[in-house]
Amino acid sequence: PEGLAVLERILSQLPPTTLSIQIPYVTSNLYYPLHYSHHTPVGVTEEYAYGYFPYRSETLDFLIRQKMPEQRIIKIYKLLEPEKFVDMRALLRQTYRYWSTLDRIGPDQVFVADFLMENWRKLPLFYLFNHPSRHVFLHMANQIFRKLGCAPLSTGDAANIPCGDDTMYAIHPN
């Protein structure tokens, strides 16, 4: 609350013509289809402003409770076919619908839906379900730079910026 009051005071001192850019809160469940039997709704709700936590794999938790050797658990997990447990087409449709809503915030905003839909299989776009990767941040940052009249960053430039790589959550290999 105190920090918010300070921010409000700072913003109130800006001229009315100051550029305001809206950045969407980007999440995805596509990389983690086996994490819940009652899948986390894509995005956030009033009740769960940052999604559901802890974000654990029910599948891995179940295998661990079987008291098997670690290598056996890993082998079994890698052999699982998510589409036998989850309607992946429905999850993909739900996710695409959610991503499409991100581009409906307003005119002075950062757009991400097309980028996410075109690249989610080609690039690691999320470190966690609610932590976009440097690829997503680079895409959004370059839109902001263009709006500000600045040169965009290259992929090489962005590679040297710490961006949460150390928090990468395991993605199911299938």
Side-chain angles (χ1 to χ4, degrees):
E2 184 179 318
L4 192 54
V6 171
L7 178 61
E8 290 294 331
R9 280 198 303 276
I10 292 169
L11 292 176
S12 70
Q13 295 173 16
L14 294 172
T17 56
T18 301
L19 178 63
S20 171
I21 301 172
Q22 297 179 32
I23 302 171
Y25 181 69
V26 183
T27 67
S28 175
N29 226 11
L30 286 178
Y31 293 139
Y32 318 102
L34 297 176
H35 280 48
Y36 289 109
S37 55
H38 60 281
H39 296 282
T40 305
V42 180
V44 296
T45 64
E46 247 180 71
E47 184 180 0
Y48 298 100
Y50 298 99
Y52 291 93
F53 285 97
Y55 195 70
R56 298 183 57 88
S57 168
E58 288 181 356
T59 308
L60 278 176
D61 285 348
F62 172 79
L63 292 172
I64 290 167
R65 285 192 303 271
Q66 305 313 303
K67 308 273 191 229
M68 292 184 276
E70 183 177 315
Q71 289 307 312
R72 180 146 167 73
I73 291 170
I74 292 169
K75 184 177 180 178
I76 291 170
Y77 185 71
K78 284 181 168 182
L79 291 173
L80 292 174
E81 298 175 40
E83 57 278 354
K84 289 188 177 178
F85 302 92
V86 178
D87 183 344
M88 292 300 292
R89 286 190 177 123
L91 182 59
L92 186 60
R93 283 191 306 272
Q94 176 195 29
T95 302
Y96 278 18
R97 272 194 309 272
Y98 165 67
W99 285 345
S100 294
T101 66
L102 298 177
D103 287 356
R104 295 187 196 140
I105 295 172
D108 288 322
Q109 73 165 65
V110 169
F111 297 95
V112 294
D114 290 341
F115 176 80
L116 296 172
M117 289 184 237
E118 291 167 14
N119 291 291
W120 77 271
R121 286 193 183 272
K122 300 173 195 169
L123 300 169
L125 296 182
F126 292 87
Y127 298 127
L128 297 169
F129 84 100
N130 66 342
H131 287 246
S133 72
R134 79 176 61 253
H135 301 288
V136 177
F137 284 121
L138 178 63
H139 175 75
M140 294 193 299
N142 280 338
Q143 290 178 66
I144 294 170
F145 291 146
R146 279 192 290 280
K147 289 177 187 286
L148 295 173
C150 300
L153 284 176
S154 69
T155 304
D157 293 334
N160 299 318
I161 300 170
C163 192
D165 306 59
D166 57 342
T167 61
M168 184 72 170
Y169 199 87
I171 295 173
H172 194 279
N174 292 333

